[in-house]
Amino acid sequence: MTRPSWQDYGTYDESAYPELWQGVRAYYAPCLGPTGNRLHEHSRFGNWGDATGITPATAWTTDSGQSAISYSGSNYHAMTEFRCNREWSACGWVKHEGGSFGVNLLGGLGRANDGTNDYLLYVSGATTVNMWGNQTPGLFSAFTTITTSDSFALNTWQHFCWRVLPASVEFYLQGKYQGVSAAWPGVVRMGQIGARNGAAGWVGKVSDLVFWDRTLNPNEIQQHYLLGRAGMLARRRRTARRAVIEQAGFKAYWARRQSQIIGGGV
């Protein structure tokens, strides 16, 4: 589907993979909605944001047969603020097209205890990712650095995942474990996609960005990767054969039930 509408997507209770929806706090996927092309929030929590610095009608694009949002370095989507607990996860599909590294993908995070800004994902090199933070207000530094075992390749759709635990932070690329580093500093408040501060913003595309208020296990991360873009949004499909089986089962059940009622059974 190259031009999906928000009405074409299933919700968590219709999804073919409802178990992955457990704990979803926000799900951003670009599609054609009632107000035009925009980045839609599918979690039912209403964390829409205001699309600050981005023109949805022109930023929305199609890439590899699926919709995506294109960022030009200064564009960002300001999400309605929401909180995630100390243990949480974030996964998404990204395509870096800037030709160089040293870019912020996700930013504007805030620690709940003092409201200062932290950064979730800073891609500083082909095999290096950072979480940036300003534990001292106004002073940004690389809070956590992970050297990846695989390349964060240019011009290639790649799946990433942060797995945030109380005592460590793990990073996954293409569903594969890459490395671990120090713990994230407590409860966070989400803020922006494609934001920047002291470095270029994301140049490339973003698709299907999901935040969980729980820690995904490695098998779930692998499953999310294998589903591909928009995989969680795919609705359950009842085949004609399955429908016949279900109808036959219901008819048999109802025949037994009528027999019980007539016979005075329960």
Side-chain angles (χ1 to χ4, degrees):
M1 184 183 301
T2 59
R3 191 176 175 83
S5 165
W6 66 281
Q7 294 173 325
D8 296 323
Y9 286 134
T11 55
Y12 70 91
D13 52 346
E14 299 174 306
S15 173
Y17 302 92
E19 62 279 3
L20 272 180
W21 283 87
Q22 180 185 352
V24 168
R25 194 66 180 83
Y27 189 134
Y28 297 95
C31 63
L32 181 65
T35 58
N37 300 323
R38 63 170 299 177
L39 196 61
H40 278 262
E41 205 284 290
H42 294 268
S43 74
R44 294 184 175 179
F45 280 99
N47 297 312
W48 288 98
D50 58 11
T52 301
I54 191 170
T55 304
T58 57
W60 186 92
T61 185
T62 299
D63 191 292
S64 304
Q66 290 285 351
S67 56
I69 287 290
S70 182
Y71 289 88
S72 61
S74 60
N75 293 351
Y76 64 91
H77 176 86
M79 298 178 282
T80 301
E81 191 173 85
F82 63 95
R83 288 180 54 157
C84 279
N85 292 324
R86 186 175 180 86
E87 296 183 51
W88 55 280
S89 302
C91 291
W93 287 89
V94 294
K95 187 177 184 180
H96 183 29
E97 301 172 326
S100 62
F101 294 96
V103 291
N104 286 317
L105 169 58
L106 305 175
L109 306 183
R111 289 183 292 165
N113 59 340
D114 60 12
T116 56
N117 291 326
D118 298 316
Y119 280 92
L120 169 62
L121 180 58
Y122 176 82
V123 183
S124 54
T127 58
T128 309
V129 294
N130 306 86
M131 284 191 297
W132 277 51
N134 61 341
Q135 293 176 295
T136 302
L139 178 63
F140 284 83
S141 60
F143 177 76
T144 292
T145 300
I146 294 177
T147 300
T148 63
S149 57
D150 295 308
S151 173
F152 207 104
L154 290 170
N155 301 309
T156 303
W157 277 106
Q158 292 187 285
H159 180 271
F160 77 90
C161 184
W162 283 117
R163 184 171 183 254
V164 183
L165 301 161
S168 63
V169 178
E170 297 176 354
F171 184 70
Y172 291 73
L173 202 60
Q174 305 294 67
K176 178 182 175 182
Y177 172 80
Q178 300 293 315
V180 62
S181 193
W184 182 258
V187 177
V188 298
R189 294 197 301 264
M190 301 302 171
Q192 300 168 349
I193 302 173
R196 62 178 182 172
N197 186 34
W202 190 252
V203 180
K205 298 182 177 69
V206 178
S207 179
D208 300 279
L209 177 63
V210 191
F211 293 92
W212 286 264
D213 200 8
R214 67 179 179 91
T215 300
L216 297 181
N217 62 52
N219 288 336
E220 289 175 315
I221 295 172
Q222 178 71 8
Q223 182 183 26
H224 189 265
Y225 162 62
L226 293 175
L227 284 176
R229 292 160 59 197
M232 280 178 61
L233 293 172
R235 285 177 166 155
R236 291 192 184 97
R237 288 178 172 82
R238 294 171 63 209
T239 64
R241 179 175 179 273
R242 181 61 185 169
V244 170
I245 293 174
E246 290 176 352
Q247 291 171 4
F250 175 77
K251 289 179 179 178
Y253 162 79
W254 185 239
R256 291 195 303 270
R257 185 59 179 154
Q258 286 182 315
S259 176
Q260 290 172 343
I261 294 173
I262 294 172
V266 293

